[in-house]
Amino acid sequence: MSSIWLDSCEIGERECLRGDIEVDTAVIGAGMAGILTAHALQNCGRQVAVLEASRIASGQTRNTTAKITIQHGLIYHKLLSRFGKQTAADYAEVNQCAIDEYRRIIERENIDCDFEEKCSYIYSQNSESLKKERRAALELKLPAEFVRDIPVNIPCCGAIKFKNQAQFNPMKFIRAVSEHLTIYENTAVRAVKGSVLITNRGNVRAKNIVFACHYPFVNFPGLYFARMHQERSYVIALEYAKPVDGMIMGDEIGTYSVRNYGKLLLFGGEGHRTGENTDGGCYERLRAKASELFPGSREVAHWSAQDCITADGVPYIGRYSSGKPNWYVASGFGKWGMTCSMVSAMILRDMICGVKNKYAYMFTPSRFSAKDVPQIAFESGHAVKGLTRQIFSVPSEAVSAIKPGHGGVVSLRGRKSGVYKDESGKIHAVDIRCPHLGCQLEWNPDELSWDCPCHGSRFDFNGNLLDNPAQNNLNHKK
Ligand code: FES
């Protein structure tokens, strides 16, 4: 179960860190945000080392649908009403700068990464939302228009269309930009103490530290776990599907994402909050919809992605916390990881180099207002629910009740355990408590994984960590 990007290009392996080093800037995470930040800083003459727990682009960068766009859902009427005209206009402008910067790097460094300009469409079943977005786009003078029809046969009330957006192959791009960077693979940062990063391979002393590791894993300070959650979505790649001209996404839950890559069509959807797929069937429903929309097509790959969603829908880019002036963070990109990675690289480069960035203010992670309270309360409520399940719910099944190929929470010698019974009947039992902050994990039957409903950490059925903020594997049960 791997994405088409992974098969389209190989990235050479890098050495792990061996012993202690000292650098100007250490970047945690070799995904798109980390690599672009390191690339931007190195171009300004900074000495940078990237520390990656696994391989380059082994996280969400390989699972994206790789759209580069200023159209982040029907966001502009929300930004206008929440933050005002200047901030909404600046949000569009900085994301346009990100598209332009991709284009500049690709031309300057002569990168073959299948970069193509495309129109972007956000469709909706809600005509009121479309009307509001159209008015906002007009007020902000964005290159957008309302269209009644979209280039794929999905019923809707219309869409907002943006011209001159882009799509590409993220693995080909990241392979090229990472080529001349110092990157230590298989080097997991276990803790950060002041200016020292403690890894499983040695310590790194750095004047500046950038957390570009998808979900910031240091809980205090920052409290990112209280103001961000994670969502999963699923993608299938189809051959013999009628091509679509453009990048199409729906605005509501239950809608779909469509783009072409060469002769393949990438069809995504079935999104849900991480830890809330206990009934499964996401891929099956997506396949059923694909055969309705693209008759005669054939699936060649399928994979899933995980996104961090902030309380107000705007990424967190900037100082990690006021008490840690040399720590920086880039997270909460929603479904717009490629564009926001470039935005964060430009902002963090300027902050670290002491250059004023006119867009940094709107992304500052320290922003907080009374308007955030309901969303933050919702995040906390989810965490409390996950924690109380650990304490109060009663184990419902015995190991013998679990069928081969299925998983569930059972009582093993009087204690709750997560059990997966493989097709041969072998039992894989793990501790069901999330090592991040102790919530009870839920079984995800589509991906044979244990997923945390609180902040989105994930583990395979053997307990190996798949997605942070947790940093450790689950304990095995004998
Ligand atoms: Fe925070 Fe599981 S991810 S408790």
Side-chain angles (χ1 to χ4, degrees):
M1 199 174 62
S2 64
S3 76
I4 53 163
W5 312 127
L6 205 55
D7 297 335
S8 69
C9 133
E10 219 171 284
I11 300 180
E13 198 163 348
R14 303 295 184 96
E15 294 276 295
C16 62
L17 180 67
R18 295 182 196 280
D20 299 349
I21 59 166
E22 199 164 334
V23 290
D24 176 81
T25 301
V27 175
I28 308 171
M32 193 61 84
I35 292 295
L36 284 175
T37 304
H39 180 262
L41 284 167
Q42 188 162 292
N43 284 347
C44 293
R46 296 286 176 143
Q47 183 207 12
V48 189
V50 182
L51 306 165
E52 167 56 49
S54 179
R55 300 285 320 279
I56 295 169
S58 58
Q60 299 314 312
T61 300
R62 65 168 59 169
N63 297 329
T64 173
T65 51
K67 306 179 186 94
I68 313 171
T69 174
I70 72 171
Q71 192 182 26
H72 300 178
L74 298 179
I75 195 176
Y76 288 101
H77 74 270
K78 293 176 199 149
L79 290 175
L80 258 181
S81 64
R82 183 182 177 99
F83 298 108
K85 192 167 173 182
Q86 187 60 52
T87 302
D90 282 349
Y91 188 88
E93 201 172 284
V94 71
N95 281 290
Q96 186 58 51
C97 290
I99 302 178
D100 296 343
E101 186 65 7
Y102 268 112
R103 199 180 285 114
R104 243 191 317 271
I105 292 173
I106 288 165
E107 280 170 13
R108 190 181 62 218
E109 301 185 16
N110 198 17
I111 299 173
D112 172 11
C113 61
D114 307 315
F115 182 89
E116 302 174 271
E117 280 196 2
K118 289 281 170 192
C119 292
S120 160
Y121 299 78
I122 301 285
Y123 72 89
S124 175
Q125 322 288 1
N126 184 330
S127 53
E128 257 325 287
S129 300
L130 288 166
K131 267 189 214 152
K132 282 189 199 158
E133 190 69 357
R134 182 189 195 184
R135 274 199 297 271
L138 271 176
E139 192 177 340
L140 297 169
K141 299 190 174 54
L142 301 179
E145 59 176 317
F146 170 79
V147 289
R148 183 64 198 82
D149 299 312
I150 56 174
V152 64
N153 189 24
I154 298 175
C156 62
C157 296
I160 303 295
K161 171 183 174 186
F162 277 62
K163 289 193 186 128
N164 302 328
Q165 311 298 291
Q167 60 187 27
F168 71 152
N169 178 326
M171 291 298 275
K172 287 187 179 177
F173 177 82
I174 207 169
R175 176 177 60 184
V177 286
S178 61
E179 205 177 338
H180 301 296
L181 299 177
T182 301
I183 301 167
Y184 297 104
E185 290 188 328
N186 298 305
T187 300
V189 177
R190 300 282 185 224
V192 185
K193 299 212 161 111
S195 295
V196 179
L197 300 97
I198 298 156
T199 83
N200 56 340
R201 309 285 185 174
N203 293 347
V204 179
R205 180 172 289 279
K207 285 200 192 91
N208 308 292
I209 296 167
V210 176
F211 291 76
C213 45
H214 188 65
Y215 200 117
F217 59 83
V218 174
N219 296 323
F220 310 100
L223 300 171
Y224 289 95
F225 63 86
R227 45 196 174 121
M228 222 165 37
H229 72 272
Q230 301 203 65
E231 292 181 5
R232 297 196 66 65
S233 54
Y234 301 80
V235 186
I236 54 179
L238 303 166
E239 60 180 3
Y240 311 127
K242 191 170 165 229
V244 294
D245 188 15
M247 310 181 295
I248 301 125
M249 268 193 91
D251 189 53
E252 295 96 13
I253 291 185
T255 52
Y256 300 97
S257 150
V258 188
R259 70 158 276 195
N260 267 100
Y261 176 65
K263 290 192 169 138
L264 297 179
L265 185 128
L266 311 189
F267 182 57
E270 291 296 331
H272 61 81
R273 189 177 168 122
T274 305
E276 295 187 347
N277 184 34
T278 47
D279 293 336
C282 291
Y283 283 119
E284 289 318 311
R285 288 191 291 276
L286 204 53
R287 285 174 187 129
K289 193 71 191 174
S291 61
E292 183 190 317
L293 291 174
F294 312 105
S297 63
R298 192 176 75 92
E299 180 183 325
V300 294
H302 66 274
W303 67 94
S304 58
Q306 178 142 309
D307 300 306
C308 290
I309 316 288
T310 64
D312 60 10
V314 176
Y316 296 132
I317 302 168
R319 291 227 150 73
Y320 199 97
S321 139
S322 56
K324 299 282 181 193
N326 64 333
W327 291 16
Y328 300 86
V329 65
S331 187
F333 297 165
K335 307 207 175 290
W336 320 104
M338 296 299 97
T339 327
C340 296
S341 287
M342 186 62 88
V343 169
S344 58
M346 295 188 298
I347 290 175
L348 296 183
R349 172 200 63 201
D350 287 353
M351 289 182 81
I352 289 169
C353 293
V355 175
K356 182 166 170 47
N357 185 298
K358 66 184 264 209
Y359 306 110
Y361 74 95
M362 79 183 85
F363 298 101
T364 180
S366 62
R367 68 182 182 270
F368 180 83
S369 80
K371 290 179 196 152
D372 292 312
V373 169
Q375 183 61 22
I376 287 173
F378 175 71
E379 299 310 332
S380 309
H382 245 87
V384 169
K385 210 169 107 194
L387 284 163
T388 51
R389 268 177 71 72
Q390 174 66 21
I391 299 162
F392 296 118
S393 65
V394 179
S396 54
E397 294 187 85
V399 175
S400 56
I402 299 209
K403 295 190 199 114
H406 290 75
V409 179
V410 302
S411 175
L412 273 183
R413 287 174 287 286
R415 294 198 56 180
K416 275 170 125 180
S417 299
V419 164
Y420 168 63
K421 194 183 277 182
D422 67 24
E423 297 293 350
S424 71
K426 187 175 169 205
I427 301 290
H428 304 258
V430 293
D431 192 346
I432 204 67
R433 242 174 321 136
C434 178
H436 178 229
L437 289 173
C439 291
Q440 180 176 306
L441 302 172
E442 301 285 354
W443 180 242
N444 177 347
D446 284 318
E447 307 192 79
L448 305 185
S449 62
W450 291 103
D451 297 358
C452 182
C454 290
H455 317 108
S457 295
R458 298 179 59 247
F459 309 83
D460 69 17
F461 59 75
N462 280 318
N464 298 311
L465 180 65
L466 297 172
D467 286 302
N468 64 355
Q471 289 177 278
N472 299 312
N473 296 335
L474 300 176
N475 289 329
H476 283 258
K477 290 284 187 76
K478 293 246 169 11

